[in-house]
Amino acid sequence: MTNLLLKNVRPMGQTATDLAITDGLFAKMAAPGAEEIDCGGRILIPGLVEAHTHLDKSLLGLPWYRNEVGPRLIDKITNEREVKVALGLDPRVQSERQSIQSMGFGTTHIRSHVDVDTHHGLAGIEGVMATREKLAGYVDIEIVAFPQSGMITRPGTVEMMDAALAMGAEVVGGLDPCGIDRDPRAHLDAIFGLAEKHGKPIDIHLHERDLLGGYSTEEIIARTLAHGMQGKVTISHAFCLGGMDRSYVGALQEQLAEARIHIITTAPASAPVPAVKELKELGILTGSGSDGFRDTWGPYGNGDMLERAMFIGQRNNLRRDDEVEIALDICTFGGAAIMELKGYGLAPGDKADAVLVEGETLTDAVVSRAPRKLVLKGGKVTARDGTCVLEAP
Amino acid sequence: MTNLLLKNVRPMGQTATDLAITDGLFAKMAAPGAEEIDCGGRILIPGLVEAHTHLDKSLLGLPWYRNEVGPRLIDKITNEREVKVALGLDPRVQSERQSIQSMGFGTTHIRSHVDVDTHHGLAGIEGVMATREKLAGYVDIEIVAFPQSGMITRPGTVEMMDAALAMGAEVVGGLDPCGIDRDPRAHLDAIFGLAEKHGKPIDIHLHERDLLGGYSTEEIIARTLAHGMQGKVTISHAFCLGGMDRSYVGALQEQLAEARIHIITTAPASAPVPAVKELKELGILTGSGSDGFRDTWGPYGNGDMLERAMFIGQRNNLRRDDEVEIALDICTFGGAAIMELKGYGLAPGDKADAVLVEGETLTDAVVSRAPRKLVLKGGKVTARDGTCVLEAP
């Protein structure tokens, strides 16, 4: 393993210094013979954390997909299930393509929801697991077993979720208990039951807005407390927290904080979103992700978590430098805390997962989104000048 | 003047063909000895139209400005007026820097609001006019005399606006008649009076939301009709059209359509925005712009109108390819129509203002935002591979 000495580097935009990396960890002193890298005064941040994406279904590398899908959520879900077959989408190949693109942008950790349904069975889980194994040491991938097409409405799905978790998916997924599964009690009992059986955390998609999403959130809070799962449950999207009735939302957020439920927001421009500054004030751990991108849902997105920090800033009207830094924190330390990553950071003893970014300040780095000069994973160079050292299939 | 033959080019993403440019105009046949350019099958679109920006006050090229400004609109206005002095901001230099950056992204036409106030007088107008002259032939700049700090609240401003228009500003600006000037009648009478006196169109900033903005809009409509200014008035931002009461907004939009008032939206993620598909259905001309960027208001933005098309798409939840193409149309033909540009387009006889973009389809070009391969202004190459041929001061 190469030992490094990063010369003239500014950790988190602070004063320039030298940083040693020994045996894959940041160290107080350079090892003898450590290879020196001149960082040219650039800023070093810990590896970007992609805490919500869908590795199994991007269309990267395929001919352009002309999107003509209908406006409802269920239109997109149905279309996707069918198009996957028509295009012969291979989750192994697609997840490798997307992971490599993300690595080029400085992502070192990915939490991916992976579809589990009666149509495609466990093919998605198997494909992403193959990519995880192939890319071990380059990027860490965590798998959420995700019942995209519903569980209760499609008998057999719960059993497949069970199998996915037994195979090695680390997190129990879920989806709109009212809006998609039309049976919140059965849906939530199922996922909390799977979580208890496998001793694994939960990360549930919740697109439901306003009082409907509020109702589902209340039910999630109740089960989190009943199962003693404080600190082990995440709600992704949580559009209901962007609702207009701020006194109701405020009360709900206090209950979320008490139950130590985490929030992951992708900060979409067209949907109500959780107010990240309010979450921070309440001590609610907040992470972010690209969501699915370049897929049958829509053409946007590229996996750049620095750009995602910009989107969070724009969506939450964060204009002051100290506010934009909150957005970046969500895309680094926030996601890392939710995923309970060990040794995440730039302190001595932390794993040397880090990104050298361009810019005078952290805010400059976020809004400029210049190609990443260098990406390290466990002290190994995984990308240079915006390009991953691995070639996509 | 160089005559060109663009080989293997796809106008608006259509089938590859060859396009001739003779004496600065697209032509049916290539002139003898025309220089051939291999376009490699790339897509050609007309020059991007930056229809709403503030050339006089970006902080491009200056050391990073740490933003610590307060949350209200008036905080930002006051802070800016003072910081401009503290930083010694030179509108001539800043407008040239911003214009050159925009040209690198493929912008060929700019409408810039330029501050007119009793603090800085006409320095902004003079500075941007100097840049306009210097960059003539590379980019067309239209100037809106803009009373950023209010007119009625700051006596002497109307006279300065009058002077700015006499000097050569092409458009009469205005700003939040209720929210900033606190006297909608006096504010609107002043700008319509100036428009009548100088025979020039109006482009008014309207951040006022919901019913307050609706009230100001109603007053603008009434004066547009009374002054016979149909087709000559633009409302920029128009956040009130993003209001929740869609039946009220619907009725207001119908009145706007009847008065042939145009809308310019920058599609900010954190404010309510006009629904561009509704405007299109009503036949309301719609343009877009970057707004101010990298200034004392906030760190975001870069002048890339292809990225702006993406923001419009994201903010309006445009996912289908035909919808994303609407967003691109706003950033090209829409702005051009509002600015009444003559000979805008890719047809024979049109001015050869065009951009060669990367991507399989128009939507791919918008979401990928790759560096522009080539930018032409009147058939002259003004940028290559994302970089303007001119050097910024």
Side-chain angles (χ1 to χ4, degrees), chain A residues 303-322:
Chain A
D304 183 354
M305 288 302 297
L306 215 48
E307 182 161 282
R308 184 61 47 183
M310 181 186 83
F311 290 153
I312 294 169
Q314 289 177 318
R315 184 69 184 87
N316 286 270
N317 202 21
L318 309 179
R319 292 164 176 254
R320 297 165 53 109
D321 285 59
D322 58 355

Side-chain angles (χ1 to χ4, degrees), chain A residues 303-385:
Chain A
D304 183 354
M305 288 302 297
L306 215 48
E307 182 161 282
R308 184 61 47 183
M310 181 186 83
F311 290 153
I312 294 169
Q314 289 177 318
R315 184 69 184 87
N316 286 270
N317 202 21
L318 309 179
R319 292 164 176 254
R320 297 165 53 109
D321 285 59
D322 58 355
E323 292 176 327
V324 178
E325 289 165 14
I326 294 172
L328 179 59
D329 188 69
I330 288 169
C331 297
T332 49
F333 290 94
I338 290 174
M339 290 170 66
E340 300 188 53
L341 303 181
K342 306 280 176 245
Y344 181 85
L346 301 179
D350 286 339
K351 288 183 186 159
D353 299 343
V355 193
L356 203 56
V357 298
E358 307 284 345
E360 276 181 69
T361 63
L362 288 172
T363 298
D364 187 6
V366 167
V367 301
S368 299
R369 304 159 282 152
R372 309 308 114 84
K373 191 65 189 170
L374 194 73
V375 182
L376 300 172
K377 177 72 183 172
K380 180 167 63 185
V381 174
T382 55
R384 280 181 204 279
D385 298 313

Side-chain angles (χ1 to χ4, degrees), chain A residues 140-181:
Chain A
D140 290 338
I141 298 173
E142 186 182 62
I143 294 172
V144 185
F146 176 50
Q148 170 79 76
S149 296
M151 276 192 310
I152 309 306
T153 49
R154 300 177 72 88
T157 306
V158 175
E159 292 73 13
M160 281 193 172
M161 291 280 291
D162 190 36
L165 293 160
M167 275 170 65
E170 289 92 347
V171 184
V172 182
L175 173 76
D176 293 351
C178 297
I180 296 295
D181 241 349

Side-chain angles (χ1 to χ4, degrees), chain A residues 20-237:
Chain A
I21 294 171
T22 305
D23 295 335
L25 306 178
F26 287 110
K28 283 190 181 161
M29 291 174 53
E35 181 193 330
E36 293 191 1
I37 296 180
D38 177 14
C39 295
R42 291 184 183 82
I43 295 175
L44 193 74
I45 61 174
L48 291 159
V49 178
E50 167 67 84
H52 185 112
T53 190
H54 296 266
L55 284 180
D56 52 325
K57 50 193 185 180
S58 93
L59 303 174
L60 289 173
L62 299 177
W64 185 258
Y65 168 76
R66 187 168 175 90
N67 186 319
E68 298 179 330
V69 75
R72 296 170 307 163
L73 184 56
I74 196 68
D75 296 332
K76 297 175 178 71
I77 291 172
T78 306
N79 175 64
E80 176 179 65
R81 211 169 47 239
E82 290 161 2
V83 168
K84 270 186 186 175
V85 178
L87 293 180
L89 213 63
D90 182 341
R92 188 190 60 72
V93 175
Q94 294 314 121
S95 59
E96 188 177 344
R97 286 177 175 157
Q98 181 175 329
S99 298
I100 286 173
Q101 179 161 321
S102 289
M103 288 164 63
F105 287 120
T107 289
T108 53
H109 298 83
I110 298 174
R111 169 181 282 191
S112 175
H113 297 253
V114 180
D115 288 5
V116 173
D117 65 51
T118 51
H119 213 73
H120 297 96
L122 298 171
I125 300 281
E126 287 161 357
V128 178
M129 285 184 82
T131 291
R132 160 158 77 183
E133 196 169 328
K134 184 168 180 187
L135 299 182
Y138 288 87
V139 63
D140 290 338
I141 298 173
E142 186 182 62
I143 294 172
V144 185
F146 176 50
Q148 170 79 76
S149 296
M151 276 192 310
I152 309 306
T153 49
R154 300 177 72 88
T157 306
V158 175
E159 292 73 13
M160 281 193 172
M161 291 280 291
D162 190 36
L165 293 160
M167 275 170 65
E170 289 92 347
V171 184
V172 182
L175 173 76
D176 293 351
C178 297
I180 296 295
D181 241 349
R182 321 303 296 183
D183 190 342
R185 184 163 194 153
H187 182 98
L188 293 174
D189 285 347
I191 64 172
F192 276 86
L194 288 168
E196 186 162 278
K197 175 177 175 186
H198 292 276
K200 292 182 174 176
I202 286 173
D203 187 339
I204 179 169
H205 280 63
L206 193 60
H207 307 93
E208 295 164 5
R209 300 186 183 192
D210 297 318
L211 287 180
L212 184 63
Y215 166 70
S216 291
T217 301
E218 290 162 6
E219 291 297 311
I220 292 167
I221 293 168
R223 282 169 181 74
T224 300
L225 298 175
H227 286 257
M229 282 188 66
Q230 291 92 330
K232 298 295 180 186
V233 175
T234 298
I235 300 178
S236 278
H237 302 312

